[in-house]
Amino acid sequence: MVQADSVPSAALLNRYGSSCPRYTSYPTADRFGALGGAEPWAALKDIRALSLYVHIPFCRSLCYFCACNKVVTQQYGLASSYLEQLLAEARSYRDRVADVPVVQLHLGGGTPTFLNDGDLHRLVEGLGETFNLGGEGREYGIEADPRTLELESLATLRELGFNRLSLGIQDFDLTVQRAINRICTAEQVRELTDEARRQGFESISYDLIYGLPHQNLDTLRGTIDQVMELAPDRIALYHYAHLPERFKAQRLIDTDAVPGAAEKVEMQLAAVQALEEAGYDYLGMDHFARRDDSMARAARDGELQRNFQGYTLMPADALVGLGASAISYSADGYWQNHHRLKDYNAAIAERRSAVFRGWQLSADDRLRQYVIMELMCRLSLDKSEVARRAGAAFDDYFAAERARLEPLKADGLIEEDADRLWITPLGRWFVRHVAAAFDAYLARRQETPRYSKVI
Ligand code: SF4
């Protein structure tokens, strides 16, 4: 049950509603640049477990709220030729990665289930020719669009080893669905959820969004009631950031129908209270898990990890991202493929590297990466461990950061003593702001906001 003092006031949500990075990486991807002679992928030779991410950018229709890197098309042939490029890129890693188990495989997009069953087979079997897909206790996840995912495809996905299914619901209210051009009934989702359970998917996750056009407290409550009946294992509740000047698709949304900041705060509070009362734990960073789910247990035991796809239970030393815009990382740094399909396809077809930017980590980056990960996943910092890694006392190394944290401390979001700094139950709502205090690049920057608003 939610403790009254761990629910933020509307005033607090407003105060910390400013834009803030999500820290799926540190430094954040907007810092990446030319790698010069650096080769962060060289560290792939010395790892014990690997994550794989595959980006499938195609969608059959445009959702007006979307800010993803996608290609809306009805031409299936584009996907078939892209698959060839993906597998060629996978093969380019053949001599560059240690022969270690892939503990996580994640298909994201776009819409990964744009691929037909035959091509899904071709993809996974092709990946298996380069990577060791036989890992024990592996997490294989796929993002699916419930409007187009066929019930029969769930059996194919299970056969290929997928055990986690993420369904993009967003909202069940028809007026909202019309305004975002994404119509999907609760019945379709129920059928898919039931069949996925029958097929033995271990985790079913729903994505929901608040702040969409025509949404209000009543419609959102209605959606959450329907979601609770279906009882997914995990829920991601995202905030819709209306930025039509940046995202062309959003210009198709009537700005006057988008709820204002105060209304969005009310919706967020109502949604979170309803989820917690229904037996979901708030993990932080928009994610919830049913109290009996392995992710919720891991959060309670301080064993959560975080990667580009969000929270995870399976630690890997490196991630290889395949496809347009995909990001990879190793202990030495990050590298990212071309965003545009045309540039990515051309690079692979001409046997050039598809990488267009990256980042080689410095010792200071690694330390801050560790600190931010600890805050995101364990909500706590062991100052002596940080000092050991820094080679200097925590309070001295991070004197400027501690000064930046003072207002957060005054608001009751963090506490500290001589040995530890920790995020309070109230502070869980503002983890990104606590982490941001340790972001050296953000502190140096005086630019217009470019990250998604927390509210
Ligand atoms: S929300 Fe998903 S399905 Fe809709 S356009 Fe964006 S990537 Fe495609």
Side-chain angles (χ1 to χ4, degrees):
M1 188 66 74
V2 204
Q3 298 299 311
D5 60 359
S6 67
V7 176
S9 63
L12 212 50
L13 283 168
N14 272 325
R15 194 173 314 152
Y16 292 97
S18 58
S19 50
C20 205
R22 304 182 66 80
Y23 293 110
T24 47
S25 67
Y26 181 80
T28 48
D30 58 340
R31 310 307 307 166
F32 296 175
L35 274 167
E39 295 187 348
W41 45 84
L44 292 174
K45 288 264 187 208
D46 188 24
I47 56 174
R48 283 162 301 164
L50 180 70
S51 277
L52 266 185
Y53 171 76
V54 182
H55 190 76
I56 309 291
F58 307 103
C59 302
R60 289 198 197 149
S61 62
L62 178 68
C63 307
Y64 298 162
F65 61 86
C66 183
C68 298
N69 180 36
K70 79 276 179 191
V71 175
V72 177
T73 182
Q74 302 297 326
Q75 295 175 44
Y76 191 79
L78 283 179
S80 299
S81 50
Y82 178 72
L83 197 52
E84 294 302 329
Q85 314 289 30
L86 270 180
L87 295 178
E89 190 193 4
R91 286 192 294 275
S92 74
Y93 278 95
R94 210 166 256 177
D95 299 323
R96 292 196 279 161
V97 187
D99 181 18
V100 295
V102 171
V103 291
Q104 286 161 337
L105 167 65
H106 189 88
L107 267 54
T111 312
T113 49
F114 187 93
L115 296 181
N116 63 32
D117 289 6
D119 280 340
L120 281 168
H121 264 286
R122 209 149 66 90
L123 172 63
V124 176
E125 282 158 14
L127 292 174
E129 286 170 17
T130 295
F131 302 101
N132 176 352
L133 296 184
E136 282 290 309
R138 60 196 185 173
E139 290 177 356
Y140 282 11
I142 182 162
E143 296 167 12
D145 183 340
R147 295 172 302 169
T148 53
L149 177 62
E150 303 287 343
L151 284 178
E152 300 71 40
S153 296
L154 289 167
T156 304
L157 289 169
R158 281 297 293 137
E159 204 183 304
L160 293 173
F162 288 91
N163 49 14
R164 296 172 194 278
L165 179 70
S166 168
L167 295 174
I169 311 293
Q170 325 314 353
D171 191 292
F172 279 133
D173 183 86
L174 189 57
T175 307
V176 176
Q177 291 188 350
R178 284 199 180 112
I180 58 173
N181 195 37
R182 190 179 171 106
I183 295 180
C184 173
T185 65
E187 199 41 46
Q188 278 171 290
V189 176
R190 176 187 301 282
E191 279 183 4
L192 286 168
T193 303
D194 289 349
E195 180 61 15
R197 289 196 170 118
R198 252 195 309 276
Q199 291 289 343
F201 279 83
E202 289 161 29
S203 162
I204 298 169
S205 165
Y206 289 179
D207 286 356
L208 304 177
I209 302 183
Y210 70 94
L212 290 170
H214 297 290
Q215 236 178 10
N216 58 41
L217 264 183
D218 285 343
T219 62
L220 188 63
R221 283 198 180 110
T223 291
I224 289 180
D225 285 349
Q226 283 170 293
V227 166
M228 291 302 91
E229 276 178 32
L230 303 173
D233 304 286
R234 297 171 193 171
I235 292 174
L237 174 68
Y238 297 113
H239 162 244
Y240 170 60
H242 187 57
L243 298 168
E245 63 290 350
R246 264 182 72 193
F247 302 110
K248 214 169 150 195
Q250 296 184 358
R251 294 177 205 159
L252 296 164
I253 286 181
D254 174 8
T255 298
D256 291 341
V258 176
E263 217 177 337
K264 284 199 263 186
V265 166
E266 277 185 18
M267 280 192 235
Q268 189 194 21
L269 285 178
V272 167
Q273 294 228 15
L275 292 179
E276 293 211 331
E277 280 164 21
Y280 289 79
D281 279 353
Y282 180 48
L283 306 177
M285 299 292 296
D286 317 319
H287 285 76
F288 298 79
R290 255 187 8 216
R291 222 148 277 155
D292 56 354
D293 181 79
S294 53
M295 191 78 86
R297 281 200 301 274
R300 287 196 292 273
D301 296 344
E303 285 169 3
L304 267 194
Q305 307 279 328
R306 194 165 165 77
N307 63 14
F308 280 104
Q309 283 76 53
Y311 289 111
T312 173
L313 302 177
M314 300 291 292
D317 312 304
L319 168 83
V320 168
L322 302 171
S325 76
I327 299 179
S328 306
Y329 70 75
S330 71
D332 285 350
Y334 300 92
W335 59 105
Q336 181 171 26
N337 286 348
H338 287 291
H339 274 103
R340 291 197 311 175
L341 188 60
K342 184 166 112 216
D343 299 334
Y344 170 80
N345 279 343
I348 302 289
E350 292 161 20
R351 295 175 181 264
R352 286 184 282 115
S353 165
V355 174
F356 87 109
R357 64 176 186 174
W359 188 269
Q360 184 81 8
L361 292 167
S362 67
D364 179 69
D365 291 336
R366 282 202 186 92
L367 179 67
R368 289 171 190 273
Q369 189 184 52
Y370 169 78
V371 165
I372 289 174
M373 185 68 90
E374 288 292 293
L375 289 170
M376 294 270 177
C377 297
R378 273 168 270 292
L379 306 172
S380 164
L381 282 180
D382 175 343
K383 290 185 181 179
S384 53
E385 175 57 22
V386 178
R388 188 187 69 73
R389 290 168 183 251
F394 177 88
D395 290 355
D396 294 340
Y397 194 95
F398 288 120
E401 288 72 10
R402 292 186 67 239
R404 283 201 286 275
L405 286 169
E406 278 306 316
L408 285 80
K409 202 191 280 186
D411 281 331
L413 310 187
I414 58 163
E415 290 179 12
E416 65 176 331
D417 60 20
D419 306 319
R420 285 173 61 236
L421 182 152
W422 65 95
I423 297 175
T424 63
L426 180 63
R428 283 181 319 164
W429 297 83
F430 308 103
V431 172
R432 287 156 76 172
H433 289 81
V434 181
F438 291 91
D439 183 337
Y441 303 100
L442 191 66
R444 279 179 221 154
R445 187 166 29 198
Q446 298 290 328
E447 295 174 358
T448 44
R450 48 199 307 170
Y451 302 104
S452 66
K453 285 192 158 198
V454 175
I455 301 298

